[in-house]
Amino acid sequence: LSIPIFFDTMFMLMVPIARALALRPDHPKALEMAGSAAYGRRDFAMAVHYWQRLRGRLAEDSPARAALD
């Protein structure tokens, strides 16, 4: 079951995500959320950017890393 997230919701989420990334630029959850928010805005290049940074922070055998491949 998925809950639709609309553009205005994604825009509002970017403020706390940006703050989190300013404090800890490689925080995995912040990178994941930033990528998802960018994807929700249809900014696919930025989503890939965040998800690639996230992938680099995950262990080689991590299921999350495999999902990003």
Side-chain angles (χ1 to χ4, degrees):
L1 181 68
S2 66
I3 300 170
I5 297 179
F6 300 101
F7 179 80
D8 58 338
T9 304
M10 292 311 251
F11 180 76
M12 294 301 291
L13 286 174
M14 281 309 297
V15 173
I17 293 169
R19 286 182 182 156
L21 287 172
L23 293 172
R24 293 182 56 197
D26 290 325
H27 189 276
K29 191 61 161 178
L31 291 170
E32 177 187 352
M33 292 179 71
S36 295
Y39 187 88
R41 293 189 319 270
R42 301 182 62 86
D43 186 350
F44 304 121
M46 189 57 72
V48 168
H49 167 77
Y50 286 121
W51 290 333
Q52 285 178 337
R53 285 177 52 195
L54 171 61
R55 186 181 177 280
R57 302 285 302 157
L58 300 172
E60 288 285 330
D61 60 347
S62 167
R65 184 178 175 134
L68 291 170
D69 284 340

